[in-house]
Amino acid sequence: MNALGAMVRRCIDGLVALVIAVAACSCAGLRPHSPPPEEAEPLVQIPAMPGVRTWGDEYSPEFQKDLIASVHQEEQSGLFRDGDTVSVLAISGGGGDGAFGAGLLCGWTAAGNRPNFKLVTGISTGALTAPFAFLGPAYDDKLKKVYTSITSKDIFKLKSIFGMLRTDAMTLNDSLSKLTTEYIDGKTLKDIAAEHAKGRRLYIGTTALDAQRPVIWNMGAIAASGHPDAPDLFRRIMIASAAVPVAFPPVYFTVEAGGRRYDEMHVDGGVSNQVFLYGPVLNPLAGAKELGFERPRRSLRVYVIRNAKIKPVWQPVRPIMRSIAPRSVSTLIKEQGIGDIFRIFVTTRRDGADFNLAYIPDELDTNRSDEFNNQVMNVLFDTGYRLARHGYRWQKGPPGFFPVEQHGKRG
């Protein structure tokens, strides 16, 4: 969602003309929208595909049940053995900075020690990376191509001023839809379904804007459902997760609750979280007890890729709206991302997992006026690749965190 700052600047540049146009004509042709009422939220499901989505801010009995089922699938497939360390990967948002995470994954493959992840989560640009990260090294070429060859023209197309007046965004997402269809083809979906059947899981996050709540989607379950609408739903979730509000149109999903159908408005998952693990949705310790074990049989290692710089970047701000607004948004996103990293860290402490964090090096120059500047994205990809190829030094805690014993020694 770092792309939002640049998109805000573009939006403001057209604001004066937009206001003049509004004064000249009335806003007509708005899309009808019938969101589920608040009291129906606990019942909301995708028609004919129950259990493939859940609210990301509360415990989910359905996803917990699926977690138990995944362990039984592991036993049948022989994917993991008792005593193995099971790895989980969380990929953040970051717009064009997602090229860093893509390069890191490809370099990790070249290093020869990239895990076969039990769970992969993705949000915003991380949602575009996550399916390829989930499928492993066989899909590295696709992953590299996405982040080293695309440009802004492949992501969005600005509407005319009058087109903006009659709809819900400044751009069309046709280009992103075409790109998603190209890369998430029938074979890719089939491969995701096959990995899901082995006991692995792929989650992508979006934001239900009316409810003001995060939604987590079980993408492997969708791919494996066999439902004729599954491919379209899968791709539209990816688009929704990356749909920066105002810049991109929201994605509307038909849902049902209490025997009635509604349409939910979904936008960029980064509105809710810059990166997520499984938070309150799952309880691995309770799952182990339900399986008859006092504690999980396997140790858990969590990897977090933050497609952004952690350290503040000084930049002079001009005293005009088109400079103040994007700078404020980018600062908000940076701080939100750090907060999300701390949330994941607390979860790993609760569940006895090993925490590992990667992020864009502070010294790397990533400034550009075009979020999807191909030259900068190639630099980001190459940097991530090089660092991982030679053995990335994962950070063992969130930024600014010092264990109690270290803090005591410092002072």
Side-chain angles (χ1 to χ4, degrees):
M1 204 178 153
N2 285 354
L4 185 53
M7 296 301 294
V8 166
R9 183 178 290 110
R10 292 190 182 203
C11 293
I12 291 173
D13 285 343
L15 186 59
V16 174
L18 187 59
V19 170
I20 293 172
V22 169
C25 67
S26 62
C27 294
L30 293 178
R31 184 193 191 281
H33 176 46
S34 55
E38 184 177 1
E39 60 271 17
E41 285 181 10
L43 306 174
V44 171
Q45 295 286 352
I46 296 296
M49 280 188 271
V52 301
R53 53 158 283 166
T54 190
W55 298 110
D57 55 4
E58 66 182 20
Y59 176 75
S60 171
E62 288 186 322
F63 270 47
Q64 182 75 6
K65 183 179 179 181
D66 181 67
L67 173 66
I68 302 299
S70 76
V71 175
H72 293 310
Q73 289 173 321
E74 289 175 24
E75 293 170 347
Q76 294 178 358
S77 67
L79 184 64
F80 301 115
R81 297 170 297 178
D82 289 353
D84 283 352
T85 296
V86 175
S87 297
V88 173
L89 174 66
I91 311 171
S92 85
D97 286 349
F100 171 77
L104 192 77
L105 286 163
C106 293
W108 204 349
T109 297
N113 58 351
R114 177 173 160 185
N116 188 22
F117 300 106
K118 162 71 177 179
L119 168 67
V120 175
T121 74
I123 209 156
S124 199
T125 193
L128 306 180
T129 306
F132 306 122
F134 178 74
L135 290 173
Y139 277 77
D140 279 2
D141 287 345
K142 265 192 174 183
L143 180 60
K144 180 179 180 180
K145 186 176 180 180
V146 168
Y147 281 99
T148 60
S149 64
I150 64 170
T151 65
S152 292
K153 293 180 181 179
D154 300 307
I155 301 296
F156 61 83
K157 179 180 179 181
L158 284 172
K159 298 177 182 176
S160 68
I161 293 297
F162 288 97
M164 295 174 192
L165 279 173
R166 295 190 296 269
T167 187
D168 46 17
M170 306 291 284
T171 70
L172 297 167
N173 62 14
D174 296 5
S175 299
L176 183 57
S177 178
K178 180 180 178 182
L179 186 71
T180 306
T181 301
E182 177 184 351
Y183 284 99
I184 306 297
D185 56 18
K187 181 181 184 306
T188 302
L189 290 168
K190 184 177 180 181
D191 289 346
I192 289 171
E195 293 303 311
H196 179 85
K198 294 177 184 177
R200 301 176 64 220
R201 293 298 182 261
L202 171 63
Y203 295 165
I204 284 178
T206 62
T207 300
L209 203 55
D210 291 295
Q212 202 176 43
R213 299 177 70 183
V215 175
I216 296 178
W217 302 81
N218 189 336
M219 304 299 282
I222 294 171
S225 68
H227 194 282
D229 294 337
D232 179 65
L233 176 63
F234 192 105
R235 296 175 187 123
R236 291 176 70 239
I237 291 167
M238 292 180 63
I239 294 169
S241 186
V244 177
V246 180
F248 289 95
V251 176
Y252 297 87
F253 294 99
T254 299
V255 298
E256 60 184 10
R260 295 188 60 183
R261 291 205 171 185
Y262 306 92
D263 70 320
E264 273 189 329
M265 179 190 295
H266 285 243
V267 297
D268 194 326
V271 171
S272 302
N273 303 287
Q274 283 299 298
V275 62
F276 74 99
L277 186 58
Y278 47 78
V281 173
L282 298 176
N283 188 333
L285 300 180
K289 290 183 179 179
E290 187 173 342
L291 288 163
F293 305 101
E294 286 300 316
R295 59 181 183 175
R297 293 177 294 172
R298 310 177 184 104
S299 58
L300 182 65
R301 183 167 292 147
V302 174
Y303 294 96
V304 180
I305 297 177
R306 178 67 179 117
N307 289 304
K309 293 181 180 180
I310 297 295
K311 184 179 179 181
V313 179
W314 192 91
Q315 176 183 313
V317 180
R318 297 177 64 198
I320 57 173
M321 186 170 62
R322 72 180 303 271
S323 182
I324 293 170
R327 181 63 169 174
S328 299
V329 169
S330 65
T331 301
L332 175 66
I333 291 169
K334 179 183 285 288
E335 294 305 315
Q336 178 196 14
I338 293 173
D340 290 332
I341 291 168
F342 268 90
R343 183 181 293 114
I344 291 175
F345 180 70
V346 170
T347 300
T348 62
R349 284 294 182 94
R350 182 197 70 183
D351 296 340
D354 178 48
F355 177 88
N356 300 270
L357 171 67
Y359 52 86
I360 296 175
D362 295 330
E363 65 275 10
L364 191 66
D365 183 7
T366 60
N367 288 328
R368 69 271 197 189
S369 58
D370 179 0
E371 178 64 26
F372 298 97
N373 180 295
N374 190 257
Q375 183 177 357
V376 174
M377 289 175 68
N378 272 270
V379 170
L380 284 160
F381 183 93
D382 291 342
T383 299
Y385 184 95
R386 175 178 50 80
L387 289 172
R389 175 67 180 85
H390 298 289
Y392 188 80
R393 296 181 61 184
W394 296 85
Q395 302 298 304
K396 303 304 293 183
F401 173 82
F402 303 104
V404 174
E405 59 272 16
Q406 289 187 20
H407 183 71
K409 290 178 183 178
R410 286 171 177 261

